[in-house]
Amino acid sequence: MTEFIVNQWWLVAIVIASLIPLVMRIVSAGLLETLRTLDRRWIFLLLLWAVLIPIYFIGVTGRTFPEVPSVLARATFDEIDRLNPGDPILLAFDYDPPSEGELGPMATAFVYHAASKKLRMYFMALWPLGAQMIDNTIAKVITPDFRDLVYGRDYINLGFKSGQEGVIKVVVTNLRELYTTDSRGTAMQDIPMMEGITNIQQMKVIVSVSAGYPGTKEWVQYAVTPFPSLRLVAGATGVQAPLLYPYVPRQLPGLLGAIKGAAEYEKLVVDAYGGANADPKYLEALRRMGPQLVAHLLIITLIVVANVVFLIDRGRKR
Amino acid sequence: MRRENVFWMALLVIGAAALLWRSAFTTEGMGREYVRAVPVANGRWTQSDPATYGEYQGAEAALPAQTEYQFSLPRTIGLWLAAFFTLAIFSFLFGDNPFYKVAEAVLVGVSAAYWMVIGFWDVIVPNLVGKIWPALVRAWAMPGLSGPEAEPSPSYIVVLVLSVMLLWRLAPKGGWIARWPLAFIIGTTAGLRLIAFLHGDFLVQIRNTILPLAVIDGGVFDPWLSLQNLLIVVGVLCCLVYFFFSFEHQGAVGATAKAGIWVLMITFGAAFGYTVMGRIALLAIRLEFLLDDWLWLIDPTGRRVAALLAGGGLG
Amino acid sequence: MKQTGPLLITAAGGFVLIVAYFIPFAQNWGELAAIWFDILAAVAFILGGGNLLKTHLKRISDRARGWGYSGVVVVSFLATLFVGLVKVGVNPSAQFPDFAWSGQYRQMGSAFWYLFQYAFTPLTATMFSLLAFYIASAAFRAFRAKNVEAVLLLGTAFIILLGRTFAGVALTSWIDPDVWAGFAYFTGLRLENLTVYIMSVFNTAGNRAIMIGIALGIVATSLKVLLGIDRSYLGKD
């Protein structure tokens, strides 16, 4: 840490300089008065530093926190890991760039896991930008690191269809009426891995990477509930994850919640398939847990400080 | 000019000068994009795949005259544009300003058109035009369309009519015409949701709550799991009692409802914690973009380390 | 007719899907209705874009306040629409090189992809990242431990915030049977474990009750729409 501070003196100088006006105000008006009338932009600045400095620290030093996978992350991992090579799985990428910070690492880890297991991957999207997210993940994982996997034989991007839950309602019994071609415009009959696939009940597992509506909830309601033999695991945003717990485990055997869930699953996948020197691109969530820690501590401190001021003021009024 | 404005102007000038200095006068530089030329369709076209500075360095070291890995000016401009947009949106935190407003306007325009284009190419062309007139779509944009899915389906003419009626909403007169397709959308949504919520969120949730209150695992009583199940069952019932407003919340009912409120408060606390977690991750990725992709201050994935090119490079 | 026709269509569309759920014979009808619905959803994208264009063109022609920004909206909208529909910079697909329009509209390197990569992504992602700042500000301004309920909410939030990071492990790692054998009964109190129990017990119970309530609400609302009791979506005239 000391070495970091000495080497990155310029960053330390910028952080200190940016906070000088706040310190001066505390000195002149007093701590309590400053806190009572604190301009919210100071909170913005504190949060900026709380997130930016750990990112920079981890980026420079490469150090991350150890991660212990929780029961649900392990359950998610096991659902995919128990499959055999060649088993078909559906990967529904129902998210777009705004939630990539949370869901990008999950999507990467799911694809890395499935590709390592040599599963047949069927990608589709209920969000308009989902097809692009699929392209990006394929370009990040499969194209550079799994060159033996062939498009159309081992993986396929079916692309986006509009209609939210209406799409699930159709593909669960009749995939081909809606998906007449893949996202490249190739007819279903010309795609080797589509042979014999008529609906998504034939998938061994459905993986839902979900940012909201339509997403995991709709997959539970329109696919898993009416067809209980389907197995669904999900990677969901922090906002969505708590709402999905009532479905666990009967309708949703595996759930990764927010960046922590991503980091746990990443750890399981990389430990199992990444080797001793895993590519750092597969440890994105693990790195992001650093800023997460500092920012959480800041938020707790802010709440505590605000409550101390509140209690002091209430005591004085009485 | 106000003193505050002078200060911010000076800060902006210093910042811009620092960026200029870093990009032009330091060995590492910053904010450059590289591409790799990949021949496609038997060499008829060249596709420019994204490449890293590390790959470019590796290629140059191996063969200085190589043309496979190249600096890309358009994408470098794009990267700087992306950085500008990022900073412009962040500038709203300090206060509303023209940079933010321009970025916001671009966001609205690009997003709406983006959705339209996706809807057109991914759904309207293959699923509407392609179903009514597959020969046209095959000759034009989807030559691969074939097989049983490419047979003409006259019933889709009804959807075409409904689509035109829906778009009639944009016309100055006859807005009621759009009600017919709208009624269809509302009706199907209601039909879909009625069953899905009744089954998945009502019936199965009741089933999920019928849990053994005394868990016996391998002939041994498991007190911890039993307690968990008991808390879930009692928690759900207490919350449901709180949601009942048909009778007054007094006496035993009041106490139960109070317990329900406590369970709900814990639920909301958990939701708040998870929401904070999510929001921080969204901020982190944008700051990573600025520090890594644009400023080249950090390199966690080793993209700017001269790469030894594996198979496929400099072939 | 202006009201009756749409009411009949609403009922027909909805009940076809309900019947299809229970009678396998009617499954095809349900699929057909859902497919029509899916296509109309794509048409709604066009409607949305058209409405946006109409609104901003009117603002420009009225010289309304901030009309210059409406100009930026219109230009960026039309530019994106043009490069996307005309497939600017898209090579024909490798499979069908003789068909000029056969390439994928979002092909890497195309103008549309460029807009995704360098405009759409930074703009939308940064816009959402602003929420982190506002939630921090709200945490400072809004959360006060005024009563038991608020303490429960805040306490849970603290446990989750700590337990879902390494702070939780660091703060309560001393509850370890290796430190004292008696701790074997208390490992559930470690913050990372408490987080798991809060989520799987109390959060599940609370959200399940909310879910049941919402489900009943949606069923009632849907029935009112399908039976023509709620006609608000049809407007007045």
Side-chain angles (χ1 to χ4, degrees):
Chain A
M1 182 61 104
T2 315
E3 193 188 354
F4 172 79
I5 292 171
V6 171
N7 288 341
Q8 311 301 328
W9 60 269
W10 58 273
L11 181 64
V12 179
I14 290 174
V15 173
I16 291 172
S18 72
L19 296 174
I20 285 174
L22 180 62
V23 176
M24 283 166 64
R25 170 139 175 81
I26 291 171
V27 171
S28 63
L31 182 63
L32 265 180
E33 185 52 30
T34 307
L35 290 173
R36 268 189 216 112
T37 57
L38 190 66
D39 189 322
R40 65 178 180 176
R41 284 175 291 193
W42 287 114
I43 297 171
F44 295 164
L45 184 69
L46 289 174
L47 185 73
L48 175 74
W49 293 136
V51 179
L52 190 137
I53 295 170
I55 290 174
Y56 187 71
F57 177 80
I58 289 167
V60 171
T61 62
R63 289 165 63 180
T64 54
F65 293 110
E67 201 60 58
V68 182
S70 65
V71 180
L72 270 179
R74 191 165 287 283
T76 309
F77 177 83
D78 290 343
E79 279 295 324
I80 296 172
D81 213 54
R82 70 180 167 81
L83 302 180
N84 298 313
D87 279 348
I89 67 162
L90 182 79
L91 294 122
F93 278 24
D94 304 329
Y95 72 102
D96 58 4
S99 40
E100 202 179 356
E102 289 182 272
L103 301 180
M106 293 185 200
T108 304
F110 276 128
V111 175
Y112 184 50
H113 193 183
S116 302
K117 289 280 302 174
K118 301 272 185 274
L119 305 176
R120 268 187 298 153
M121 292 168 272
Y122 297 79
F123 293 92
M124 65 171 278
L126 301 176
W127 282 44
L129 273 294
Q132 188 75 55
M133 309 318 285
I134 295 170
D135 287 346
N136 290 358
T137 313
I138 288 173
K140 184 178 180 182
V141 180
I142 298 177
T143 311
D145 296 342
F146 296 90
R147 290 172 191 229
D148 54 327
L149 298 186
V150 178
Y151 184 86
R153 189 194 69 192
D154 303 301
Y155 65 98
I156 187 175
N157 182 359
L158 293 168
F160 161 76
K161 292 293 171 195
S162 58
Q164 300 95 21
E165 61 266 47
V167 175
I168 306 175
K169 177 77 187 160
V170 177
V171 297
V172 78
T173 51
N174 188 350
L175 179 71
R176 292 179 175 214
E177 187 60 27
L178 204 53
Y179 283 101
T180 52
T181 66
D182 70 346
S183 80
R184 294 180 179 182
T186 311
M188 288 296 167
Q189 65 175 11
D190 298 330
I191 302 167
M193 65 188 289
M194 287 309 296
E195 197 183 331
I197 300 287
T198 53
N199 61 55
I200 58 144
Q201 291 173 60
Q202 291 165 281
M203 300 293 150
K204 294 281 183 187
V205 167
I206 298 174
V207 177
S208 164
V209 186
S210 161
Y213 171 78
T216 304
K217 187 176 178 71
E218 284 65 37
W219 282 106
V220 169
Q221 289 178 324
Y222 297 89
V224 175
T225 306
F227 301 96
S229 61
L230 277 169
R231 304 288 292 176
L232 174 70
V233 293
T237 54
V239 174
Q240 209 191 356
L243 309 175
L244 298 170
Y245 268 78
Y247 296 129
V248 177
R250 197 184 297 265
Q251 293 154 290
L252 184 63
L255 172 65
L256 307 176
I259 195 71
K260 165 77 170 163
E264 291 173 356
Y265 181 62
E266 227 173 39
K267 162 102 177 123
L268 285 165
V269 175
V270 166
D271 281 355
Y273 299 100
N277 293 312
D279 191 326
K281 74 180 171 190
Y282 296 123
L283 300 169
E284 200 180 344
L286 223 51
R287 283 193 297 277
R288 221 163 271 162
M289 285 307 290
Q292 207 75 40
L293 167 71
V294 182
H296 285 193
L297 291 177
L298 174 71
I299 302 263
I300 289 174
T301 309
L302 287 172
I303 296 175
V304 170
V305 166
N307 274 285
V308 169
V309 174
F310 165 72
L311 290 174
I312 290 173
D313 286 351
R314 196 164 71 170
R316 279 182 187 168
K317 272 181 197 164
R318 279 177 184 169
Chain B
M1 199 185 263
R2 285 170 57 196
R3 230 175 80 184
E4 194 181 288
N5 288 351
V6 173
F7 172 77
W8 285 111
M9 193 64 82
L11 206 63
L12 278 177
V13 170
I14 293 169
L19 289 177
L20 201 68
W21 174 77
R22 181 167 174 78
S23 57
F25 302 110
T26 58
T27 44
E28 63 271 34
M30 64 174 273
R32 293 194 301 273
E33 288 274 70
Y34 290 83
V35 290
R36 178 184 170 213
V38 180
V40 285
N42 295 329
R44 285 173 76 163
W45 299 285
T46 305
Q47 187 178 306
S48 296
D49 283 356
T52 65
Y53 180 47
E55 286 168 341
Y56 168 76
Q57 280 178 303
E60 281 288 299
L63 190 67
Q66 62 88 30
T67 53
E68 190 179 341
Y69 290 87
Q70 290 293 325
F71 166 73
S72 168
L73 181 63
R75 292 191 195 185
T76 299
I77 293 170
L79 180 70
W80 282 73
L81 202 63
F84 166 76
F85 283 143
T86 304
L87 294 174
I89 299 276
F90 276 146
S91 72
F92 184 73
L93 292 168
F94 193 77
D96 205 358
N97 64 76
F99 292 114
Y100 170 76
K101 281 197 171 120
V102 167
E104 188 191 35
V106 175
L107 165 68
V108 173
V110 171
S111 307
Y114 215 92
W115 280 46
M116 244 173 109
V117 171
I118 291 173
F120 179 76
W121 286 118
D122 279 350
V123 182
I124 291 174
V125 171
N127 294 93
L128 184 58
V129 187
K131 283 287 181 183
I132 297 169
W133 199 353
L136 169 76
V137 172
R138 203 179 296 126
W140 164 46
M142 296 176 73
L145 190 67
S146 62
E149 291 87 25
E151 295 297 319
S153 307
S155 66
Y156 280 78
I157 291 170
V158 181
V159 197
L160 180 67
V161 172
L162 286 174
S163 302
V164 173
M165 288 169 85
L166 186 61
L167 291 176
W168 206 283
R169 241 184 125 79
L170 294 170
K173 281 184 182 173
W176 62 272
I177 291 170
R179 270 188 210 157
W180 291 56
L182 198 67
F184 180 77
I185 292 172
I186 301 277
T188 41
T189 306
L192 279 168
R193 291 194 173 177
L194 192 148
I195 293 293
F197 277 85
L198 194 63
H199 193 176
D201 285 15
F202 182 71
L203 296 174
V204 180
Q205 290 318 313
I206 293 171
R207 170 69 193 87
N208 287 352
T209 313
I210 301 171
L211 297 164
L213 299 183
V215 180
I216 313 288
D217 189 13
V220 181
F221 175 66
D222 186 334
W224 187 226
L225 210 55
S226 303
L227 178 67
Q228 284 185 49
N229 285 356
L230 180 72
L231 285 172
I232 292 177
V233 175
V234 172
V236 172
L237 291 175
C238 289
C239 291
L240 287 176
V241 168
Y242 171 64
F243 291 149
F244 261 102
F245 296 108
S246 307
F247 35 76
E248 272 192 70
H249 288 181
Q250 281 179 337
V253 175
T256 313
K258 187 84 177 165
I261 294 175
W262 289 352
V263 174
L264 287 172
M265 285 300 142
I266 296 175
T267 307
F268 296 147
F272 172 71
Y274 264 73
T275 304
V276 168
M277 204 179 348
R279 300 309 184 211
I280 301 296
L282 304 189
L283 173 61
I285 195 172
R286 292 321 297 159
L287 297 180
E288 284 169 20
F289 163 78
L290 290 176
L291 294 182
D292 184 2
D293 299 82
W294 183 47
L295 293 171
W296 290 12
L297 284 171
I298 56 170
D299 188 14
T301 49
R303 287 187 295 172
R304 286 177 289 281
V305 179
L308 280 176
L309 296 166
L314 297 179
Chain C
M1 190 59 188
K2 281 184 184 177
Q3 292 265 347
T4 316
L7 279 176
L8 289 173
I9 291 176
T10 304
F15 283 115
V16 158
L17 281 158
I18 293 170
V19 169
Y21 201 79
F22 295 102
I23 306 171
F25 169 74
Q27 188 180 299
N28 288 349
W29 306 348
E31 274 170 16
L32 193 68
I35 289 171
W36 289 9
F37 170 81
D38 296 343
I39 296 168
L40 284 173
V43 177
F45 290 173
I46 297 178
L47 184 63
N51 254 329
L52 181 88
L53 189 63
K54 204 172 138 183
T55 310
H56 284 277
L57 283 175
K58 187 165 183 333
R59 282 175 59 88
I60 294 168
S61 79
D62 290 351
R63 293 286 188 276
R65 197 157 172 260
W67 65 272
Y69 298 113
S70 288
V72 178
V73 172
V74 170
V75 169
S76 46
F77 176 82
L78 292 177
T80 310
L81 195 63
F82 176 75
V83 300
L85 293 182
V86 181
K87 295 192 177 178
V88 174
V90 173
N91 290 328
S93 83
Q95 210 182 343
F96 301 100
D98 297 323
F99 288 81
W101 287 79
S102 62
Q104 206 175 22
Y105 66 92
R106 55 173 198 275
Q107 195 178 80
M108 194 177 281
S110 68
F112 196 62
W113 170 88
Y114 189 92
L115 284 172
F116 167 82
Q117 192 76 5
Y118 300 118
F120 187 90
T121 297
L123 285 166
T124 54
T126 313
M127 191 62 97
F128 272 76
S129 76
L130 291 186
L131 295 171
F133 294 101
Y134 291 112
I135 208 164
S137 169
F140 183 73
R141 284 155 181 265
F143 289 115
R144 298 286 181 271
K146 286 180 180 170
N147 48 35
V148 181
E149 286 81 7
V151 170
L152 274 174
L153 190 147
L154 285 178
T156 311
F158 284 2
I159 293 170
I160 298 287
L161 287 172
L162 292 171
R164 295 291 282 174
T165 60
F166 186 68
V169 179
L171 285 172
T172 49
S173 58
W174 52 270
I175 308 177
D176 187 347
D178 289 344
V179 175
W180 174 54
F183 277 150
Y185 301 103
F186 298 102
T187 49
L189 294 176
R190 288 171 72 143
L191 279 171
E192 69 271 27
N193 294 337
L194 265 182
T195 305
V196 171
Y197 297 130
I198 285 173
M199 294 311 291
S200 61
V201 177
F202 295 102
N203 169 72
T204 299
N207 270 318
R208 186 167 287 160
I210 294 171
M211 197 177 258
I212 289 171
I214 290 176
L216 287 175
I218 287 188
V219 170
T221 316
S222 301
L223 263 182
K224 278 166 77 178
V225 167
L226 293 179
L227 296 173
I229 299 166
D230 180 357
R231 304 176 180 194
S232 53
Y233 65 96
L234 291 175
K236 280 181 182 162
D237 57 324

